[in-house]
């Protein structure tokens, strides 16, 4: 299946270019592409150990530009910077760049059979029918990643089952090495997800107990074999004790016991063990209000701070639940000062419109990165923690990838901006959402009017999506399993620990110390702020508090009126966004335009469904009418009270 | 896979008996079984045209019993009657029996691949992997059916797709004939479901327009071929224009146009065309309160009364929706005096606990059969209409079968009583639920204490299931798609036309003339009774009316308190039912006992989930507490008002 060059479409590779085998070949190709963009300049490059390994300087003197890199990869990043400047601005200026996060990683949830868990852009381009796919697309994928500074990738799903369990064995290692070599030519290290129960499923042992010497021996031998074949492997990523996956808890051991056992096997080869913190009880009784899933990760991992090996990184989802449209930042970023942490966000739009809705996630990720944790001092933000500012060990930033074998890689053309934006933020969290949106629009579209419209669409999209979906940080209210479209009670009586507990009077879960106590997991003064609805950020109000529909928000509206207003307005704002794009129809290539309009059609219809179901549900539930008398499907007017009438 | 003899377990066939090829062989085998039950009597039989074809008399004189039948089948039914009497009562008395319904038919929803739509007892024993299965089980199935008077069966799903479309072609006809012959030896006629679009899919025509001569020609030729191979075939059953199935509406033709075209093709061979009335809009917008699915069948079919060929039978589901635990009787039984009608009930427990819950449906079916329709006169009941009392044409009673290849045929041991009971009612609707339950218990268990307990369990089960599920005839509130377990809003915002429209004040759809007008589809005085909540039967109250939670019921309770009470009581009654069975543990064979207890475990857990979800939903919604202060999961006590406090 063919593919498009998306944001590199104007950085054309030399005629007949084949997949590069070494980083030197890649540099040569990309220099040609640069020369093609601007052939009246002299481009030179130099590797110097005066710069940090991945850093680069571009020094422009009139018609000559020197690209200095701390290594060949640094040079490559510099070349991509120059390409970007030329495409977006038509000119190149001197810059000096160092990456913020040591690990800048994509997590692909691709299964060995070629399906993708939470994939909305076709099938896998890494796997098909139990086999690894390696072709031109593999290298082009690496080029797109490297062009935004991504230096690590995990090609298989964290839920490792069936064939994928065998990736670390002879059955696959030859091909894994080929894949790793393709990536290495772009400065990208391959990581693999492993099955925590591999000592049973592959090793034939009766156990995966991390303290059982035979289990440690199994992994030592397995890792030795892997590194003998694939010496450039970055390490392993593990989802254990989570949503039915096996793990150390099965044997009464801690998450540290499990992670450290694997980390020790990897250490001799410089390998890193990335361990996910997404551990919670997914068989909760909805009747039990004493359990709060939001508390789980901190409860499990905080007591283990300082007990992990140096080559362990804990990968923490941005929020305490699961990639909702808006969640408070995970308190693990406040309380784990003796452990390497990595932030995990989801570029795949599982809960944010599944690449049918435009939802540029960079503004939300920015909020997470800028969040003051008070972990080491009052100045620490999440972006400092994941940059390793306070620790020598590996830290980083990971995104669950939103790619597939669709021609445009991400199903929705606009969704590519999330992939792009993730890479840029991992390199330089200080970039603003506006800068990133404008860069991507500049790379992707030629006409300046279109670039402006697209930038506007991207920047407005997240707020609009927030408006017409679940209100004020309460999350969920989506259809079970596939998670597309509204269903207010979809998870309300289920086992997943995700409840809104709406009644005719109030809505929300009290997560303060008077409720589940989640707010106390934060450092002060955060804990205190979250304890009180008046000092809780409005966007997270219903995450922390149970409030009556008549509660008056800082904007002067009642909670219920705010729900109605945002839902009606969200759809109207979306309509006007679409009109902005329609207005530049002739300036966007027809194929892209048609694709974009098809998705907008789906988004509009879905947004109206969200608006009407949420408004109707809460109108029927509260018995309070919309002060502006817009259309809500409340059955009988007699059931309703209108405020102030 | 093996099978049990269930209610015929003590009517042992002669040693080494093979599948009978003719009805004479069957009579010989069954006479031996009778002799084995009581070898000190002389059994004789005689066919006489003094009796109607399927009727029989048993004349007992001391140690001699003569079984007189209007045909060989009549004799066979007489023998089964004698077997039943001997097993249940230990003795046989003179009887004179004539069947009520001319057609007494099972509908199997078995797919050609061996799966069963809405099957809860394993896989099909008619099909596997696109092939017909014919073996000892085929004949034993026929024996079980004939023993309760069933004289017709449809072996394939009404949703005819893929291979099943080809059952009427040479690919299958040889095997279809073998199957039909097996059944004929037990007096059972085989019918087939056909795909209305077969003229396109098989015939290669561009259309299925019933008024297009080429389509009629296709069917004429197809039917000629079928009858040449399978002369005993009863005819066809058709689901058209329903839930995505093709039909005459596609071509702007009426249901009569479609049915008559097929009926004319069947007429020369004495074949019957059975046409289902389950036609409605299954893509409704939940916002649209002007459409009422309950009205659909009557709206489509009533204007066509008198326009169907003589060999057409319309098959009408018992209620206007779809096999809910309790629905009013379909108004088609009131308004179709010039058309042959057949009643369709569902022995398969799709919405009544899926053969995990004990739910003896005979009491509900009895209510339907006893329902006064006022169709011809004030005396007509549904049982008169389907018995053909007012018409010469074929009329009848059909049940969607609850069987599969489980060893005990029906998954739940108790579910066999629904299969048994259906056959008995189709023969003799005047039998009471108590008589049928006692008969089945007597046939199935030996010990008289166990028989009494089982009879009690059966008779209580339907009322208990009603108590803890959706209240007062409102139906649904189950999980979408699979339909097991509670989900109050599961269908509330969906496209299926099945809404409860609960608000904080009231619940229900107004189906009176002030609402959707459904009540006016009934004859007087029914229409008038249903127009007023005070004269509407309580069990159908929320089917016809939208009422506030504070509405006072004839039992003196408010609607909301009635919901709480029935849900708490339902679970308690179930517990005590289970205890009754536990008390006779030693008297029930261990295998059956274990199987029964396993299902009771599932039922209890599911019943508690129903109770808690329904009570919690309505408590949160209404803000009214339980007057008896039992445990409801309403989040905060402050939200609640307690009546009278």
């Amino acid at each position: 299946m063919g593919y498009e060059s998306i944001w590199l479409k104007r950085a054309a590779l030399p005629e007949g270019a084949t997949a590069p085998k070494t980083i030197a070949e890649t540099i040569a190709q990309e220099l040609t592409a640069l020369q093609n963009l601007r052939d009246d300049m002299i481009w030179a490059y130099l590797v110097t150990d005066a710069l940090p390994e991945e850093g680069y300087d571009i020094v422009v003197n009139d018609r000559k530009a020197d690209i200095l890199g701390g290594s060949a990869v640094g040079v490559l990043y510099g070349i991509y910077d120059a390409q970007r400047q030329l495409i977006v601005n038509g000119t190149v200026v001197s810059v000096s760049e160092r990456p913020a996060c040591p690990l800048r990683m994509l997590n692909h949830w691709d299964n060995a059979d070629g399906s993708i868990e939470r994939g909305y852009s076709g099938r896998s381009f890494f796997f098909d029918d139990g086999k690894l796919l390696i072709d031109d697309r593999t290298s082009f994928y690496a080029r797109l990643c490297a062009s935004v500074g991504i230096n690590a990738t995990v090609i298989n799903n964290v839920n490792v089952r069936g064939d994928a369990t065998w990736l670390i064995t002879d059955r696959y290692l030859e091909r894994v090495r080929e894949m790793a070599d393709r990536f290495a030519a772009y400065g990208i290290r391959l990581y693999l997800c492993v099955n925590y129960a591999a000592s049973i499923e592959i090793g034939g042992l009766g156990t995966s107990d991390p303290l059982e010497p035979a289990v440690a021996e199994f992994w030592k031998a397995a890792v030795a074999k892997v590194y003998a074949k694939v010496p450039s492997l970055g390490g392993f990523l593990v989802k254990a004790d989570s949503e039915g996956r096996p793990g150390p808890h099965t044997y009464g051991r801690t998450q540290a016991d499990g992670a450290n056992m694997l980390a020790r096997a990897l250490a001799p080869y410089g390998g890193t063990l990335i361990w996910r913190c997404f551990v919670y009880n997914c068989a909760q009784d909805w009747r039990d209000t004493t359990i709060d899933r939001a508390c789980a990760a901190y409860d499990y991992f905080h007591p283990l701070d300082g007990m992990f090996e140096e080559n362990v990184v804990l990968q923490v989802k941005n929020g305490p639940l699961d990639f909702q449209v808006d969640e408070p930042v995970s308190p693990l970023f406040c309380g784990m000062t003796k452990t390497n942490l990595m932030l995990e966000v989801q570029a795949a739009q599982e809960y944010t419109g599944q690449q049918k809705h435009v939802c540029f996630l960079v503004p939300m990720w920015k909020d997470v990165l800028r969040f003051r944790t008070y972990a080491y001092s009052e100045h620490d933000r999440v972006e400092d923690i994941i940059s390793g500012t306070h620790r020598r060990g590996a830290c980083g930033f990971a995104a669950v990838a939103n790619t597939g074998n669709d021609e445009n890689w991400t199903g929705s053309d606009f969704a590519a901006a999330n992939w792009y934006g993730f890479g840029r933020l991992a390199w330089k969290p200080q970039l603003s959402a506006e800068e990133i949106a404008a860069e991507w629009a500049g790379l992707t579209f030629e006409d300046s009017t279109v670039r402006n419209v697209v930038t506007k669409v991207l920047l407005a999209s997240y707020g609009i999506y927030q408006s017409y979906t679940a209100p004020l940080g309460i999350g969920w209210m989506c259809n079970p399993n596939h998670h597309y479209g509204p269903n207010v009670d979809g998870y309300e009586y289920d086992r997943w620990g995700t409840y809104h507990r709406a009644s005719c009077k109030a809505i929300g879960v009290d997560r303060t110390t008077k409720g589940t106590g989640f707010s106390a997991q934060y450092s002060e003064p955060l804990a205190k702020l979250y304890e009180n609805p008046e000092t809780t950020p409005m966007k997270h109000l219903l995450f922390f508090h149970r409030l009556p529909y008549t509660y008056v928000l800082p904007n002067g509206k009642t909670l219920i009126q705010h729900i109605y207003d945002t839902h009606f307005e969200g759809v109207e704002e979306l309509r006007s966004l679409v009109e902005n794009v329609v207005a530049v129809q002739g300036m966007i290539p027809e194929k892209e335009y048609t694709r974009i309009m098809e998705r907008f059609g789906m988004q509009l219809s879905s947004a109206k469904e969200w608006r009407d179901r949420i408004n109707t549900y809460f109108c029927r539930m509260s018995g309070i009418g919309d002060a502006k008398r817009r259309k809500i499907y409340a059955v009988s007017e007699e059931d309703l009270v209108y405020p102030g009438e």
Side-chain angles (χ1 to χ4, degrees), chain A residues 274-596:
Chain A
I274 305 172
W275 190 266
R276 290 174 98 230
C277 295
F278 188 52
V279 180
Y280 70 99
N281 172 9
C282 69
Q284 188 178 334
D285 188 332
W286 60 269
R287 299 164 186 84
D288 187 346
T289 54
T290 65
I291 305 175
D292 181 5
R293 169 170 164 182
C295 297
Y298 190 91
D299 284 346
Y300 283 122
F301 285 92
H302 183 252
L304 304 174
D305 189 27
M307 295 169 69
F308 292 93
E309 295 284 337
E310 260 312 298
N311 63 331
V312 172
V313 184
L314 295 188
Q315 184 166 308
V316 182
K317 289 193 180 190
N318 61 280
L321 292 179
D322 189 19
F323 300 138
Q324 299 306 292
V325 64
D326 211 334
E327 294 184 38
V329 169
S330 168
L332 280 173
F333 288 106
C334 304
M336 301 288 282
T337 54
K338 304 185 211 91
T339 305
N340 304 317
L341 295 183
M342 182 138 143
L343 167 65
E344 177 181 340
V345 298
Q346 194 184 38
Q349 292 172 237
E350 178 177 356
Y351 296 97
T352 51
Q354 305 199 348
Q355 285 139 255
K356 293 185 176 84
H357 297 235
V358 186
C359 193
F360 182 55
L361 294 165
V362 167
M364 189 253 275
W365 296 339
K366 281 290 297 179
D367 285 349
V368 175
L369 293 166
R370 303 277 303 153
F371 181 78
R372 272 180 209 269
T373 65
Y374 301 88
Y376 299 89
S377 78
E378 63 183 303
H379 304 297
D380 301 312
R381 299 176 189 273
V382 170
E383 62 196 37
D384 302 314
I385 288 170
I386 64 172
S387 300
T389 308
H390 299 276
R391 299 188 51 76
R392 284 162 308 154
C395 291
F397 192 8
V400 179
N402 60 356
T403 56
N405 72 356
D406 277 0
E407 191 181 10
N408 69 350
W409 299 84
T410 52
S412 159
D413 286 58
F414 292 125
N418 286 327
W419 178 9
Y420 179 90
F422 161 72
R424 296 291 287 140
L425 281 180
W427 180 277
K428 193 173 188 173
Q430 294 73 27
L431 285 171
S432 69
E434 291 73 14
E435 286 171 299
I436 292 172
E439 269 185 15
W440 181 82
L443 287 161
T444 309
F445 298 95
E446 294 201 46
D447 183 276
S448 67
T449 313
V450 174
R451 287 175 171 186
N452 289 338
V453 166
V454 167
T455 303
K456 187 174 161 177
V457 167
L458 289 179
L459 291 171
S461 62
Y462 173 70
I464 291 174
Y465 188 81
Q466 269 184 310
S467 297
Y468 60 70
T469 53
L472 296 170
I474 200 160
W476 310 94
M477 301 192 177
C478 59
N479 282 302
N481 308 320
H482 61 69
H483 300 159
Y484 188 74
N487 189 337
V488 179
D489 274 359
Y491 277 105
E492 188 56 18
Y493 299 90
D494 217 327
R495 65 186 176 90
W496 299 94
T498 55
Y499 313 113
H500 57 67
R501 299 211 174 92
S503 75
C504 56
K505 298 281 190 295
I507 177 173
V509 174
D510 183 352
R511 291 198 165 99
T512 69
T513 54
K514 290 183 286 299
T516 71
F518 169 70
S519 65
Q521 292 187 343
Y522 290 88
S523 317
E524 289 299 355
L526 295 170
K528 209 170 150 192
L529 290 174
Y530 291 145
E531 187 72 5
N532 180 349
E534 304 207 350
T535 53
T536 301
M538 199 163 104
K539 65 182 177 172
H540 297 146
L541 192 62
L542 292 180
F543 194 96
F544 285 100
H545 305 284
R546 179 169 182 82
L547 295 170
Y549 298 111
T550 52
Y551 179 83
V552 179
L553 300 171
N555 62 16
K557 294 179 183 178
T558 59
L559 176 55
I560 187 78
Q561 191 59 42
H562 179 81
I563 291 176
Y564 297 149
D565 287 352
T566 49
H567 284 75
F568 283 112
E569 286 158 17
V571 173
E572 291 319 305
E573 286 161 10
L574 175 61
R575 267 194 243 270
S576 109
L577 219 57
V578 175
E579 281 160 21
N580 279 312
V581 181
V582 171
V584 294
Q585 167 162 16
M587 301 174 225
I588 298 178
E590 196 181 326
K591 187 170 161 187
E592 278 88 331
Y593 183 81
T594 307
R595 221 162 34 196
I596 288 167

